[in-house]
Amino acid sequence: MVRRRVGHTGPMARQAPSPRRPRRPVRSVLRALLRPGPAPAGPERAPHPWARALGMTAVVLVGAWLGLLIVGNVRTPVGPMDTTMTLRPSLTGGTKINVSPLGALRLDSHVAPLRLDVDVDRLDPARSQALVDNPERFSGLQDQVAADVLDGTTGLALRSCVAVVTGATALGLAVYRRPRRALAAGGLALALLAASATSAAATWNPKSVLEPKFDGLLTSAPSVVGNARSIVTEFDVYQKELARLVTNVTKLYDATSTLPAYAPDPDTLRVLHVSDIHLNPAAWHIIRSMVEQYRIDVIIDSGDTMDHGSAAENGFLDAIPGLGAPYVWVRGNHDSRTTQEYLSRMKNVHVLDDGRAVTVAGIRIAGSGDPQFTPDRTVVAQGDPAERMTGIRLASALRDQERAGTPVDIAVAHNPAAAAETDGTVPLVLAGHIHQRKNEVMEHGTRLKIEGSTGGGGLRAVQNEKPEKVRASVLYLDRGNRRLQAWDEVTLGGLGLTTAEVSRHVVEPPAPAPAPPATSSSPSP
């Protein structure tokens, strides 16, 4: 008997699998796009030569950029400064010198797809002091700076070569997985860097330093330091000013680090009074240190935070929200309406004007801005009469607050002439303007406290022969009645000095009223 196997023909019969289309991994597609050679057999097609060229170009550019980003910078001294030099991809080239936090200078020094960034990190105290102690060294400072820049750029060129070749080679090896293709990418990156250097050398413009473009706070630099051409033609005068500038700025930063700590009474409200910062960026460091060390509840700025009140200076104010305490501000005669509008949009900043009052940290504060803006030379200054009229209006607003049942604890005006008009309407009034610290109880019982310059006179102080001290005060108020109990006067030595002093002053209680004389009764008859 012959047995035959009959396959199952029912619905459960196994069907032969249909052929599937082979899957192409992403890596194989990328390799096919970028590798050379004849077209592979089968369904895959070779990429167009232009596609392979674009792929190689992308690998070279991205790899070179990553290399520069990671290791393409050098730290090098330039005169008394420590700097960091970096090459960055750019469509226009040129040189950018960053002087944080003041701003930047841009020079049209060359045309190439690479820009030279120079970050001024700090002034070296030892090298700066050596220049001060030996003024004769300034005669060779220009040559020294030129030599330092040459050494720095030479080191930067060598490091950049290594960075772009390494970056392009590493990325080529990761993409192609072929050493020859990776080395080709590194070679092309080196050729690109050499072509950029050749373009920069061919278009080098040494006169670009005479026509810099200023960004940030340095937009006012030409009016402060003079025209660059005059500096070149009168270098003897300029080097003396440079010596004083280097000395004073270095000592100022030394002074801020010596600020002493103090543990205030936790049962009091603590107010930090600052004034007349005048664009000194070091003031923010001082204020922030005092807020932390004294546990400040509120900062009151009695004006002249700016110097020219221009919109270009507004970026200087961006540090205020990060000071760590609410900020109450009135306009000074160097602060414009533009400045005021910019501050009014900031979080945790209270702008007072026209007698406006706010309650901050439990303290009722009212103030008025200065009626004059003196940097505007097209307007004739109105002098003290305008200040007194502002003070009269402020006093009227204080009386209105009293009648409304919301008496003001502290009034603020920039000019002491305006502040004096509030006598008898408020326990304490704060002012600034004169860059001198004064304290007096006026005829009708209001205490007038005038603060010195928290900015040490501002950036203009570097031009003064005698340094101006940096001043601020911490006011201690009773938490119950919000009356001044004591205050600490904090004084830093200012530009050129490294001393710091804190003096405590206690408010003397009012003398008790004399008791009425006792009347003796005559004996009855």
Side-chain angles (χ1 to χ4, degrees):
M1 178 182 293
V2 179
R3 297 181 178 178
R4 290 187 302 174
R5 267 185 203 180
V6 179
H8 188 68
T9 59
M12 299 298 293
R14 181 178 298 175
Q15 298 179 356
S18 59
R20 293 184 179 180
R21 190 180 221 175
R23 300 175 62 185
R24 300 174 62 190
V26 175
R27 182 182 300 172
S28 65
V29 173
L30 186 60
R31 286 181 182 175
L33 178 65
L34 299 177
R35 71 188 178 189
E44 295 186 2
R45 296 180 60 188
H48 194 278
W50 284 107
R52 293 199 301 270
L54 288 175
M56 174 62 79
T57 302
V59 168
V60 170
L61 293 178
V62 173
W65 176 76
L66 290 175
L68 286 177
L69 187 65
I70 297 173
V71 296
N73 61 73
V74 295
R75 293 180 60 86
T76 182
V78 176
M81 300 174 294
D82 289 333
T83 68
T84 300
M85 294 184 178
T86 311
L87 286 179
R88 297 292 186 206
S90 171
L91 297 176
T92 58
T95 300
K96 181 180 179 182
I97 303 174
N98 299 301
V99 189
S100 178
L102 301 179
L105 292 82
R106 297 178 183 271
L107 310 178
D108 294 329
S109 56
H110 62 276
V111 178
L114 289 175
R115 185 187 71 216
L116 173 63
D117 283 3
V118 181
D119 296 319
V120 178
D121 298 327
R122 70 178 187 117
L123 286 169
D124 183 83
R127 297 199 301 273
S128 301
Q129 191 61 45
L131 286 173
V132 175
D133 295 339
N134 302 280
E136 66 277 1
R137 295 188 180 184
F138 275 93
S139 59
L141 181 60
Q142 189 176 20
D143 294 336
Q144 178 190 346
V145 169
D148 290 342
V149 170
L150 179 60
D151 292 342
T153 52
T154 301
L156 178 62
L158 295 176
R159 192 178 183 91
S160 298
C161 288
V162 175
V164 299
V165 171
T166 303
T169 302
L171 185 60
L173 189 61
V175 171
Y176 295 111
R177 301 296 179 92
R178 295 182 181 180
R180 291 182 61 185
R181 297 287 288 168
L183 291 176
L188 288 175
L190 182 60
L192 178 63
L193 181 63
S196 301
T198 302
S199 175
T203 59
W204 177 251
N205 178 22
K207 295 182 179 180
S208 61
V209 72
L210 300 179
E211 299 176 350
K213 299 175 183 177
F214 299 94
D215 291 339
L217 298 181
L218 290 178
T219 52
S220 60
S223 62
V224 175
V225 302
N227 183 274
R229 296 184 184 275
S230 65
I231 291 175
V232 173
T233 56
E234 301 175 9
F235 189 76
D236 291 340
V237 177
Y238 173 67
Q239 67 181 16
K240 295 177 183 178
E241 297 299 317
L242 180 62
R244 187 164 56 189
L245 174 66
V246 168
T247 307
N248 292 342
V249 172
T250 302
K251 291 299 181 64
L252 174 63
Y253 279 88
D254 288 344
T256 61
S257 63
T258 65
L259 189 66
Y262 175 77
D265 185 349
D267 293 332
T268 60
L269 294 169
R270 296 169 296 280
V271 177
L272 177 61
H273 182 202
V274 301
S275 189
D276 296 88
I277 293 174
H278 284 293
L279 280 181
N280 189 340
W284 299 134
H285 171 73
I286 297 171
I287 293 173
R288 190 178 300 109
S289 298
M290 295 184 68
V291 168
E292 295 174 356
Q293 296 172 13
Y294 285 82
R295 299 181 182 178
I296 295 298
D297 294 298
V298 58
I299 305 167
I300 298 180
D301 185 343
S302 51
D304 271 6
T305 312
M306 311 298 263
D307 218 6
H308 301 90
S310 64
E313 296 173 336
N314 285 342
F316 173 75
L317 304 169
D318 291 343
I320 292 178
L323 294 178
Y327 201 89
V328 178
W329 181 86
V330 297
R331 187 179 65 251
N333 62 295
H334 282 265
D335 304 316
S336 66
R337 297 280 180 175
T338 301
T339 303
Q340 180 164 310
E341 292 175 5
Y342 190 84
L343 272 173
S344 65
R345 296 192 296 267
M346 284 189 174
K347 184 179 179 181
N348 214 24
V349 175
H350 305 272
V351 174
L352 303 183
D353 199 8
D354 299 324
R356 175 175 177 259
V358 294
T359 300
V360 184
I363 306 170
R364 190 74 173 165
I365 310 168
S368 291
D370 198 294
Q372 304 181 89
F373 179 53
T374 53
D376 186 358
R377 302 302 183 185
T378 64
V379 178
V380 178
Q382 301 175 19
D384 283 353
E387 302 291 346
R388 287 193 290 268
M389 184 57 64
T390 296
I392 292 172
R393 288 194 291 266
L394 176 58
S396 176
L398 295 174
R399 285 189 286 267
D400 291 343
Q401 291 284 333
E402 180 78 25
R403 287 190 291 267
T406 55
V408 171
D409 304 309
I410 301 176
V412 191
H414 177 66
N415 196 302
E421 297 297 328
T422 65
D423 188 17
T425 62
V426 68
L428 175 65
V429 60
L430 306 179
H433 183 62
I434 62 176
H435 292 205
Q436 294 180 13
R437 185 182 278 149
K438 290 187 177 181
N439 172 69
E440 66 171 307
V441 177
M442 295 184 287
E443 181 180 359
H444 298 290
T446 296
R447 182 181 295 273
L448 170 61
K449 284 189 61 58
I450 305 173
E451 190 53 79
S453 174
T454 308
L459 294 179
R460 67 181 68 185
V462 300
Q463 302 173 349
N464 299 336
E465 183 175 353
K466 185 177 180 180
E468 185 172 335
K469 294 184 178 182
V470 176
R471 294 180 172 93
S473 294
V474 179
L475 315 179
Y476 299 97
L477 276 63
D478 183 90
R479 190 174 291 272
N481 58 21
R482 298 170 302 282
R483 293 296 184 265
L484 182 67
Q485 292 182 323
W487 71 90
D488 287 344
E489 294 179 349
V490 180
T491 306
L492 299 180
L495 298 174
L497 302 175
T498 56
T499 60
E501 175 186 346
V502 177
S503 58
R504 165 65 60 86
H505 302 266
V506 179
V507 175
E508 297 181 2
T519 58
S520 60
S521 58
S522 57
S524 58

